[in-house]
Amino acid sequence: MDVKTAFLNGILKEEIYMKVPEGVTSKSNQVCKLNKAIYGLKQAARCWFEVFEKSLVEKGFRSSSVDRCIYILDRGNISENIYVVLYVDDLVIATGNKETMINFKSYLMNKFRMTDLKEIRFFLGIKVERIEDRITLDQSTYIKTVLEKFNMHESKAVSTPLLSKLNYVALNSDEKYEAPCKNLIGCLMYIMICTRPDLSVAVNILSRYTNKNNQELWQSLKRVLRYLKGSSNIKLNYTRGNYNDMISGYVDANWGGHDENDRKSTTGYLFQLFERCTISWSTKRQSSTAASSTEAEYMALFEAVREAIWLKSLALRININISKPIVIYEDNNGCISIANNPGNHKRWKHIDIKYHFSREQIEKNVIKLKFICTEQQVADVFTKPLPATKFLEFRTRMGLQ
């Protein structure tokens, strides 16, 4: 559902005045006093949020403590429960009973002026398709718009977003080039965050050089667009099936970084539902330089463990109890040894104390580490550019088809 002029529903707590709008007859010394919120006010979004939340609380909903924009009406039966996700003025409503859905929508439409968009087809530029036991997400329409915007809609497609060996010397060049690099990176970032984890490394690496805005950066960004040209119709797939672990993850680190001028390592992780449905991913440069590959992996593990705990908390808030430890696959035996063996602490006492959080979660049986060989480590695709064969294999395992 879409709320019409959502911000105008907000109730102001402060006394605010504005200039008389053009076209309205008034005296020169007159101003308008606002009785309700209006677009352009800094607090307009907050005022709307409070009004909307109050209307749901009156109906018996409660917000999730891990994400305030997720609301649940718990009726003791998952098919009767109602789940609401709010994004500014757009709502996604999920329930297992059509009559329940109709009654709830009627309640909302009595409260606010809304448009009922029926079964979900598009949400924030993401196309949603439901086919029997499969749900797919893609941004093919948005990608084609981006390609046309940057005059790359007729370009020749390539199989990977980045070359496996980038020219970091050229990327560091201070010679400016007239090209909308920042604009393009913003577009790519939105695609990557929503439905395309395969772009994570490309966006992460290239965004580090936006202050340079040189020709090499522009050429690298154009290659990403050429990759999207040949893969614009790829969809993120969610399918049902048998599984051992409801939530499982992969974590990896690229020790020493990519650029000789910056030796900080890169963290990459991926989490999947039912061992096949990708629900969370990240590529992030580490905040400090690691002294060894094992230390880099241990620092990366900390980020993955934090995400795993958040996902478990989110599942619990929507009445999905995960009783088993969340399995995280790691390809570094040294990292696994440090995390599982408290006796190693003195050997690694120089590591920031926060990274030992992972060890505590393993001791509490919240997290379980399992070794996986590097050739099977899907998170490797989130730490560095890979050759085409390996990249395409991991892309498929991420559920992108």
Side-chain angles (χ1 to χ4, degrees):
M1 300 187 77
D2 176 66
V3 186
K4 298 179 180 178
T5 57
F7 288 3
L8 302 187
N9 293 294
I11 299 173
L12 289 174
K13 298 177 182 177
E14 303 83 7
E15 192 171 281
I16 298 177
Y17 297 87
M18 63 174 284
K19 292 180 180 179
V20 178
E22 291 183 13
V24 178
T25 305
S26 65
K27 296 180 181 180
S28 59
N29 63 342
Q30 287 183 322
V31 293
C32 292
K33 180 180 182 295
L34 293 179
N35 294 322
K36 299 183 75 175
I38 193 171
Y39 283 81
L41 289 181
K42 291 182 178 180
Q43 61 267 62
R46 176 68 180 177
C47 293
W48 152 243
F49 175 78
E50 289 175 347
V51 168
F52 178 78
E53 185 172 64
K54 183 180 178 182
S55 69
L56 291 189
V57 171
E58 290 174 354
K59 190 70 173 174
F61 281 81
R62 58 179 175 81
S63 64
S64 169
S65 59
V66 296
D67 192 326
R68 281 292 300 276
C69 291
I70 297 177
Y71 297 89
I72 303 104
L73 179 60
D74 189 356
R75 292 180 169 174
N77 185 332
I78 196 166
S79 63
E80 294 292 332
N81 292 349
I82 306 177
Y83 302 91
V84 178
V85 177
L86 172 68
Y87 189 91
V88 190
D89 58 355
D90 291 309
L91 282 75
V92 174
I93 306 167
T95 183
N97 186 294
K98 287 187 178 181
E99 186 177 349
T100 301
M101 177 73 80
I102 293 169
N103 292 336
F104 178 61
K105 284 187 174 183
S106 297
Y107 170 78
L108 287 177
M109 296 181 85
N110 287 331
K111 288 280 186 180
F112 310 104
R113 292 178 61 240
M114 306 185 77
T115 302
D116 186 354
L117 301 175
K118 308 296 182 181
E119 184 177 349
I120 188 167
R121 302 286 184 186
F122 282 91
F123 184 65
L124 306 178
I126 302 170
K127 184 180 178 181
V128 183
E129 286 187 294
R130 303 167 71 185
I131 309 164
E132 296 180 354
D133 64 344
R134 183 162 56 99
I135 298 174
T136 64
L137 307 179
D138 73 86
Q139 291 171 280
S140 55
T141 303
Y142 179 72
I143 290 172
K144 289 172 183 175
T145 301
V146 172
L147 290 171
E148 290 176 359
K149 177 180 179 180
F150 294 98
N151 297 317
M152 294 292 288
H153 53 287
E154 295 182 356
S155 59
K156 185 178 179 181
V158 293
S159 57
T160 61
L162 290 180
L163 293 170
S164 56
K165 291 186 179 181
L166 287 172
N167 188 346
Y168 292 103
V169 175
L171 282 171
N172 275 304
S173 172
D174 291 323
E175 187 176 343
K176 297 294 182 181
Y177 185 74
E178 289 297 323
C181 295
K182 292 182 180 179
N183 191 337
L184 177 49
I185 284 177
C187 296
L188 295 176
M189 190 174 293
Y190 182 66
I191 297 169
M192 179 271 292
I193 288 172
C194 293
T195 62
R196 295 297 296 268
D198 53 329
L199 298 182
S200 293
V201 163
V203 172
N204 181 270
I205 293 176
L206 298 180
S207 61
R208 301 175 191 178
Y209 301 94
T210 51
N211 62 318
K212 303 293 184 180
N213 212 99
N214 52 47
Q215 188 170 1
E216 183 67 22
L217 176 61
W218 179 242
Q219 293 301 322
S220 297
L221 287 168
K222 285 171 67 176
R223 180 184 172 88
V224 180
L225 289 178
R226 290 172 61 197
Y227 168 71
L228 285 175
K229 174 67 167 58
S231 62
S232 61
N233 293 319
I234 282 183
K235 300 177 181 180
L236 191 57
N237 287 264
Y238 296 90
T239 57
R240 296 175 183 172
N242 298 323
Y243 61 91
N244 294 317
D245 301 300
M246 180 173 288
I247 296 179
S248 57
Y250 299 83
V251 62
D252 197 20
N254 181 35
W255 180 48
H258 313 277
D259 190 344
E260 290 183 0
N261 296 317
D262 182 4
R263 304 309 295 171
K264 291 178 181 177
S265 306
T266 300
T267 291
Y269 65 72
L270 166 81
F271 283 92
Q272 294 184 320
L273 194 65
F274 311 138
E275 301 176 354
R276 65 179 70 193
C277 306
T278 300
I279 56 174
S280 176
W281 57 87
S282 175
T283 297
K284 183 180 180 181
R285 186 172 60 170
Q286 295 182 357
S287 58
S288 59
T289 304
S292 66
S293 59
T294 296
E295 185 174 328
E297 296 279 356
Y298 193 59
M299 292 163 67
L301 178 63
F302 165 75
E303 299 291 345
V305 168
R306 288 205 307 173
E307 183 70 6
I309 291 173
W310 183 84
L311 289 171
K312 184 173 183 178
S313 299
L314 179 60
L316 185 62
R317 294 302 184 276
I318 58 176
N319 303 323
I320 299 174
N321 185 27
I322 302 175
S323 56
K324 296 169 61 178
I326 295 177
V327 173
I328 297 179
Y329 293 96
E330 168 64 59
D331 63 359
N332 186 290
N333 279 314
C335 172
I336 295 173
S337 177
I338 298 170
N340 286 327
N341 184 9
N344 276 337
H345 176 65
K346 291 183 179 179
R347 294 172 56 191
W348 301 97
K349 61 183 180 182
H350 61 282
I351 298 178
D352 194 322
I353 193 169
K354 73 176 183 179
Y355 296 116
H356 297 303
F357 172 76
S358 303
R359 181 184 294 166
E360 293 177 2
Q361 301 308 309
I362 292 170
E363 290 175 354
K364 293 177 181 178
N365 209 34
V366 176
I367 302 294
K368 182 178 180 180
L369 286 185
K370 284 188 178 181
F371 176 78
I372 189 171
C373 64
T374 302
E375 289 71 24
Q376 298 297 317
Q377 176 58 280
V378 180
D380 195 29
V381 77
F382 293 93
T383 63
K384 58 183 177 293
L386 295 177
T389 304
K390 208 67 185 172
F391 175 83
L392 295 174
E393 176 191 338
F394 287 153
R395 189 180 73 179
T396 301
R397 289 182 59 187
M398 284 189 282
L400 286 167
Q401 295 175 354

